[in-house]
Structure formats: C-alpha cells, structure tokens
Amino acid sequence: MELKLTDLDISEGFERLVLAEDASSGLRALICVHSTVLGPAAGGCRMWDYADDAEAIADVTRLARGMTYKNAMAGLGLGGGKSVIIGDARRDKTPAMMRAFGRAVDALKGMYYTAEDVGISPEDMAHAAAETRYAVGLSGASGDPSPWTAEGVFRCLRIGAAHVFGSDDLTGRRVLVQGLGHVGLSLAQKLHEAGAELIVTDIHAAALEEAKTRLGAEICAPDAVFEQRMDIFAPCALGGVLDEHSSAKLQARLVCGAANNQLTSPGIAEALRTRGITYLPDYVVNAGGIISVASEIHRTGDRWRRERLDGIAERVAEMLARASAEDRSTELIADEMVERMLREASAA
C-alpha cells in the first residue's frame, strides 16, 4: 500500500489537518497547519504513543496554534504548523517510517516545514529529508535546535528573575527543572553554572543520575513536584502541567520553561498572577529552537539567530512591563501582541 493522505475536518481558524498513513513502514501521522498568514508553516515533528486518535489530534492542533504564536513573536516570517507520529519512538520508529513521513510532508508542497521535536532526532530528520526539501534541523546545517531553545529559556528566565526578585543573579535560587531531555538538561547545566540550587525530576533514572552526579542536583519524584519549595519552576517535559489543582499548590514565584502548552487553560495564567506568581508564556521563551530551524529555512547564520534571541528577551521585558502597568497577566499581553501582528499581516 502506498502512502495515503486524508484531509480531516478541522476547527475554524485552522487551515489544514492531514492524516498520513503508510502500511509498509507502519507510519500513522498527523500534520496540522494552523496559519500561513506570516509565511509557510513551520514546526517540529513529535513521536508519541497517544492513547487514541482524539488525543493525538488535540495535541497536534494545540501545538500547531502555539507555533503560529511562537513564530510570530520571534519575528521569523513563518506561520505555524506541527506534526505528530503516533507510536512509541523507542520501539516503533524506523528509517523507512521517517522516509514515509518525509513523503507526506513533501506532498504539502512547501505549505509546511518540519523539524525534530520530542522523540525525533536530527538523524531521524535526515531520513525524512531524503524524501523532501521541507525537512530541516539537519546535522551539518542548523543541527539540533535544543541548545538554542535552552539558551533562549535561560535568557528569559534571568529577565524574569530580575523582574520578580530584583536581580538576575541566580546564586542560591532554588530552581526545579521538570524534564531532563536535551533541552531540560542543557538548561539545568546553564542554571548550575549560574549558581542556582537545582531540583530535578524525570521519568528516566539515567537522566536523574547524570544531573545528580554532574550538577549536584537534588532529585524529586515526578508526582512530588508541587510539594517542593522553590523560587523558580522550569517545566521542560510535556504540556498541561499547570492546571487548577497544580497551580494552586505551586510554591514558585516565577515560571519559565521550555515545555509547550504548559497551561491547561488561559485562566491559569490569571490564577497564577493573583497568587503573585509570574508566568512567562512558553511560546515566547522557548522559541530558540525554531529560530535555529528558521535560519536554515531562510539560509542565514548564527548572527541572525542571536539577533532573534535578543529580540525574544526584549519582548519578555516589554511584556513584563506592560503586565505590571496594566495589572494583567503576561499571557494576555503576549496574545494581544501576536494577534495584532496577524491582523496587520492579514490586512496587508
């Protein structure tokens, strides 16, 4: 059976949702394009063992919308999209599957650029790139975007710390890093070098042991995160970690991390604000990875990437100043900034 693409019904405000299936390789993937108003959609490919199609669709659509906002705020000249491959990346993934995924991306004819995300490596993306020129984040080009994501989060975290604590000096600050993948571990390294006291949690024992041995981190169980005393919470695993229950228990004063879609609903940002907790919107602070990928799409270099990292930091400072002056959440301020960009682009 050859690759089969099926357009699925999609919510208003989205442009396209495609189911890609290839029986010979076992591929079953979803590609969602939220917006191409600012340019072709760009966003990573995630591989995850979803419980069912509904869960996968909910994730890919939420992530695609987030990419529109992230790319707009970072000033990349790109729209927002995302893809997910349904399956266990440790067990099911093969080069043939990734090549089939590449053919699915290619069938969209440049409407969507893909790159690596959770469960997908630059090597995996190289297999996809054998079938399409719209696969980026490749070794020898922009490469693994995770160090750039970690650098952007770290810069924004220091700006947030200066706003909340009066200084960006992290010496002695208790920072809990939830998730020690490529980005989380890189961020933990930067925090350690800045003098922070690290608390870490992850579902993989080897990652925890590395952080304990190399960075002197304190380990906490995944289900004990919100029992911990901390100054800063850095969610770097999957999304939806802050809901009504967990946000009410959180003991940090600043939230700044790399995970996408950290809040289960927009109201959580306001709930945090009323408790005196400053939340830095994830789609703003974690844009370093897509900045790196965008440099490959636009064929620019390190200077372009660093200028846009500086731009993210400036926007965070602007958000914080406006949120304080207007007594509103940073999430509302950030969304308004993006929506104005989209309106102006649409009108033009």
Side-chain angles (χ1 to χ4, degrees):
M1 178 181 172
E2 294 184 355
L3 178 70
K4 178 184 177 183
L5 299 182
T6 306
D7 277 283
L8 304 180
D9 290 338
I10 189 67
S11 304
E12 185 177 354
F14 286 76
E15 294 185 16
R16 196 170 182 190
L17 177 63
V18 175
L19 172 65
E21 298 172 288
D22 180 73
S24 63
S25 68
L27 175 73
R28 201 156 188 277
L30 292 160
I31 302 174
C32 180
V33 174
H34 175 254
S35 173
T36 55
V37 169
L38 295 175
C45 172
R46 167 175 298 187
M47 188 166 183
W48 194 256
D49 197 11
Y50 295 99
D52 52 35
D53 285 1
E55 183 179 67
I57 290 170
D59 198 31
V60 76
T61 52
R62 183 171 61 246
L63 291 166
R65 181 181 181 276
M67 289 307 304
T68 295
Y69 280 59
K70 182 186 300 187
N71 294 342
M73 188 65 92
L76 301 183
L78 296 170
K82 203 78 174 184
S83 53
V84 299
I85 297 175
I86 300 170
D88 185 327
R90 294 168 184 258
R91 181 192 66 217
D92 303 328
K93 185 175 57 180
T94 65
M97 178 183 286
M98 293 308 302
R99 287 196 297 271
F101 172 71
R103 292 195 297 275
V105 170
D106 201 63
L108 272 64
K109 302 183 186 303
M111 187 181 194
Y112 166 68
Y113 281 84
T114 190
E116 59 268 20
D117 196 353
V118 176
I120 301 295
S121 69
E123 292 73 24
D124 297 325
M125 201 49 57
H127 292 300
E131 304 288 343
T132 181
R133 65 186 183 93
Y134 304 114
V136 290
L138 306 174
S139 298
S142 63
D144 182 1
S146 56
W148 292 91
T149 304
E151 175 63 20
V153 172
F154 181 68
R155 291 189 188 192
C156 294
L157 186 148
R158 295 191 68 160
I159 290 171
H163 177 82
V164 172
F165 304 112
S167 170
D168 67 355
D169 184 359
L170 299 176
T171 304
R173 293 286 175 205
R174 287 176 62 82
V175 185
L176 194 154
V177 179
Q178 180 190 45
L180 293 173
H182 289 166
V183 175
L185 192 58
S186 179
L187 177 63
Q189 174 73 43
K190 293 176 185 294
L191 291 165
H192 170 70
E193 292 170 357
E197 294 182 9
L198 285 174
I199 313 163
V200 296
T201 188
D202 195 279
I203 60 174
H204 299 298
L208 292 173
E209 188 59 32
E210 180 179 357
K212 179 180 178 180
T213 302
R214 187 160 61 84
L215 306 178
E218 174 186 335
I219 295 172
C220 83
D223 60 359
V225 166
F226 298 101
E227 313 298 330
Q228 305 301 310
R229 178 182 64 81
M230 67 187 94
D231 298 306
I232 301 168
F233 178 42
C236 296
L238 294 179
V241 66
L242 287 167
D243 56 20
E244 291 183 6
H245 178 69
S246 60
S247 63
K249 295 175 65 179
L250 182 65
Q251 299 182 49
R253 289 185 59 196
L254 174 66
V255 177
C256 178
N260 289 309
N261 303 308
Q262 295 165 20
L263 312 183
T264 56
S265 69
I268 301 300
E270 179 60 21
L272 291 171
R273 189 186 70 84
T274 59
R275 292 191 58 224
I277 300 172
T278 297
Y279 166 68
L280 300 186
D282 50 67
Y283 70 79
V284 181
V285 306
N286 68 10
I290 193 63
I291 287 173
S292 178
V293 168
S295 73
E296 188 175 337
I297 294 172
H298 295 315
R299 301 183 181 182
T300 60
D302 276 3
R303 179 178 178 181
W304 187 90
R305 287 187 271 198
R306 295 192 183 283
E307 286 173 349
R308 273 142 191 83
L309 282 181
D310 291 342
I312 292 174
E314 291 167 4
R315 288 181 180 89
V316 167
E318 179 185 348
M319 276 191 314
L320 288 168
R322 282 188 55 187
S324 293
E326 299 173 23
D327 198 23
R328 296 194 297 153
S329 75
T330 50
E331 180 86 346
L332 285 175
I333 299 296
D335 286 355
E336 286 179 3
M337 291 168 70
V338 171
E339 286 156 10
R340 185 181 68 249
M341 295 176 197
L342 294 174
R343 282 196 307 271
E344 291 173 352
S346 294

